[in-house]
Amino acid sequence: MSAALAGDLAGAGHDGVTLAPGVNANLHAPLLCVTDLIDAATGGLSLPGKID
């Protein structure tokens, strides 16, 4: 990660999550996406982690 990008994220919150991926297998528009949020590390998306 570049220093400039990290500076832009100072104070941003994050959380650990388990997601269900989905794949649109259309040859002309392949896409990997999130179809469901299975679990968050904190039990909810409270975003306790902070970027310094």
Side-chain angles (χ1 to χ4, degrees), residues 24-51:
N24 174 2
N26 182 327
L27 180 62
H28 300 290
L31 177 68
L32 180 62
C33 60
V34 174
T35 59
D36 193 18
L37 171 65
I38 297 171
D39 190 23
T42 59
L45 290 175
S46 60
L47 306 176
K50 298 295 179 202
I51 298 175

